[in-house]
Amino acid sequence: MSKTYRINVTRTLHADVPPELTPICQAMGYLRGDIWRRYGALGNVGRSALDIRKDIVARNLYGPLPVDGTIRNETTKDVVNDILTYKAAAKLKVRQAIAARTTDPIERKRLYTRLKNDQWLDDPFLHRQMRAHFRHGVSHTANQFIVRSDKHASAIVDGRLVITIRIAKQYGMDIRLITTSNGKHVDLTGCNLRICVKDGFTEIHYATDKGAGRPHGEQALGVDKGYTEAFTDSDGEAHGTAFGAVLTDYSDAAAKTGRPRNQLHALEKKHRAAGRIAKADRIRRGNLGRKKIDARRSRAKKRLRTIAYQSAHSIVDKAALVVSEDLTSPMASQVPWKRYNRRMSGWAKGVLAEALDSVCEQRDAKHVLVNGAYTSQMDSTTGLLQGKRVGDKFYRVTGDVLQADHNAALNVLARLADPEIKRFTPYRDVKRRLLARSPAPLSVKRLELGDPSRQPSADKSIEQVCSR
């Protein structure tokens, strides 16, 4: 019998921008930046969130700020949690580095324990890794704050949901936010609100439960992250075919804008260094703004997120078990794929991983991550490291041509049952084990794949192909 899952999601309401919000955002912007400056690196080592907040209160760092105390305290909690989440993400990368460094279980346990207990400063390897992944954080966010659950009220006025933020009398009057929602399906009871002030409107973020989705399918599917499409599954079906077009349009437009901006930025620095401060300020104010750039990035993220979730749902419509590679891991070699890596940015891969995780959890399907090393370079028919991928085609040593993403998805699914290759097995060990399975050393580097007329025919033997 299927379990009933309830997932906590964030919803957004839009409202007007009362002038009282601006000084609160400015004060909380200072608070955010200062907490990151003090505790964004070594200042939080060995400290829990409660320890950091107690230290802030004991030193009365932000008591003088002219902001309601509950807003100040809740925003402080939010910033401290962000810092510790950032550190936890860095530790995850260091755990992967530990797994790649040694296979000795005793040594791994020692390093994992020291990392978990924040004792990494005394270990040269861990300290080096944390320096690489846990750089001092900085915050420039000055447009938002947190309202505690008992400090707001809502009511329907003239067909619109109106949210009232209760402010202590010594800090001013209560703030009314008139939203664009009719409030029929909005329940703000018992939840904190994140108030984000943007150009011309206010976003009100709140958490709510989302019920279980529709039933999942019955298959076990491997999926391969693509570029032209979001995913290709082991049945050969492509999902999210508009993904690459959206990503290319955004990335190329950003690169086109960035080149002249870099020149203007260099010119601004030159004028400032020469003492022409007014000239430098005019260049920065008139030519180096970020409103349009940030808006374009936000639009692209929303479109990609929609495509990713639609694709994940279409996969889970077929599957009870979804097997994928770790979509957030970087490519081993970035030089030949510089343009690809610029387009397929980290947040684009991240939204694909998030979509699969979220949809599988919501619909009670199982999502398993496997080691993705060499899944695009293996022949799914034989399971051996033979053949060559060129673009969207995979050329087998026999001369047959497979669709490259379909071939990779089949390899991802087969990797689940591979007892020798675990999720965090280093890619060099993966390659060594795959080559050891080949019956004889086969080389396909001589295949002249650029000219279709010179491709090996299917009726030729492997020895003939390899001798070319």
Side-chain angles (χ1 to χ4, degrees), residues 45 355 434:
V45 174
L434 292 175

Side-chain angles (χ1 to χ4, degrees), residues 26 44 48 59 132-133 141 151 168 191 195 248 254 286 290-291 322 324 339 351 362 398:
Q26 291 174 346
N44 64 59
S48 66
R59 298 166 67 181
H133 299 295
T141 301
K151 289 296 181 177
C191 61
I195 309 298
T248 297
R290 294 200 57 86
K291 288 184 179 179
V322 180
S324 73
R339 181 176 296 179
V351 76
Q362 180 193 358
T398 60

Side-chain angles (χ1 to χ4, degrees), residues 16-275:
D16 60 338
V17 186
E20 297 86 354
L21 295 181
T22 301
I24 299 177
C25 289
Q26 291 174 346
M28 292 301 96
Y30 167 77
L31 180 145
R32 285 180 179 275
D34 195 58
I35 292 177
W36 271 100
R37 180 180 65 83
R38 294 174 184 271
Y39 303 99
L42 297 182
N44 64 59
V45 174
R47 291 180 171 183
S48 66
L50 181 59
D51 294 334
I52 296 175
R53 294 201 304 270
K54 283 183 177 180
D55 184 58
I56 291 173
V57 172
R59 298 166 67 181
N60 194 29
L61 294 176
Y62 312 111
L65 292 178
V67 178
D68 184 279
T70 60
I71 291 177
R72 184 174 63 246
N73 293 338
E74 292 301 318
T75 305
T76 298
K77 289 181 183 179
D78 183 61
V79 181
V80 172
N81 290 337
D82 284 346
I83 291 174
L84 296 184
T85 300
Y86 170 54
K87 183 170 73 173
K91 285 186 174 182
L92 178 60
K93 294 180 180 179
V94 177
R95 285 181 62 89
Q96 295 173 353
I98 292 172
R101 178 181 175 84
T102 178
T103 58
D104 181 4
I106 297 177
E107 176 64 7
R108 279 186 178 181
K109 183 177 180 179
R110 184 187 72 83
L111 293 173
Y112 288 151
T113 302
R114 295 186 68 85
L115 181 66
K116 180 180 178 181
N117 295 335
D118 263 358
Q119 297 173 345
W120 44 269
L121 284 171
D122 301 327
D123 187 282
F125 171 73
L126 293 179
H127 194 183
R128 190 165 61 249
Q129 290 295 322
M130 286 297 287
R131 281 206 314 271
H133 299 295
F134 184 49
R135 299 181 181 277
H136 199 306
V138 181
S139 174
H140 300 290
T141 301
N143 70 334
Q144 58 185 261
F145 58 92
I146 309 297
V147 179
R148 203 171 67 191
S149 57
D150 62 336
K151 289 296 181 177
H152 63 81
S154 57
I156 307 298
V157 179
D158 296 330
R160 288 287 178 264
L161 176 66
V162 177
I163 298 173
T164 302
I165 301 174
R166 300 192 184 103
I167 303 294
K169 291 183 179 180
Q170 64 266 36
Y171 296 110
M173 304 294 292
D174 292 349
I175 302 174
R176 296 176 77 248
L177 300 175
I178 303 174
T179 72
T180 58
S181 171
N182 58 18
K184 290 183 178 179
H185 303 289
V186 178
D187 183 10
L188 303 179
T189 305
C191 61
N192 290 358
L193 302 182
R194 182 184 298 272
I195 309 298
C196 301
V197 178
K198 300 192 175 181
D199 294 325
F201 65 95
T202 300
E203 285 187 354
I204 304 168
H205 299 195
Y206 67 99
T208 186
D209 285 335
K210 182 178 181 181
R214 59 185 182 268
H216 56 69
E218 300 299 330
Q219 295 180 243
L221 284 181
V223 295
D224 178 64
K225 164 184 56 63
Y227 179 83
T228 306
E229 59 286 320
F231 301 105
T232 299
D233 65 34
S234 49
D235 285 345
E237 181 180 353
H239 304 267
T241 54
F243 190 83
V246 174
L247 200 54
T248 297
D249 290 345
Y250 164 73
S251 178
D252 291 353
K256 184 178 179 181
T257 303
R259 282 187 287 267
R261 277 177 62 89
N262 290 338
Q263 296 175 357
L264 286 169
H265 182 61
L267 186 62
E268 182 256 345
K269 289 173 62 178
K270 178 180 177 181
H271 285 305
R272 197 173 297 280

Side-chain angles (χ1 to χ4, degrees), residues 361-380:
E361 182 179 358
Q362 180 193 358
R363 298 179 60 180
D364 195 18
K366 187 175 182 181
H367 181 208
V368 180
L369 295 178
V370 297
N371 194 319
Y374 298 99
T375 52
S376 295
Q377 302 174 42
M378 293 171 56
D379 187 338
S380 60

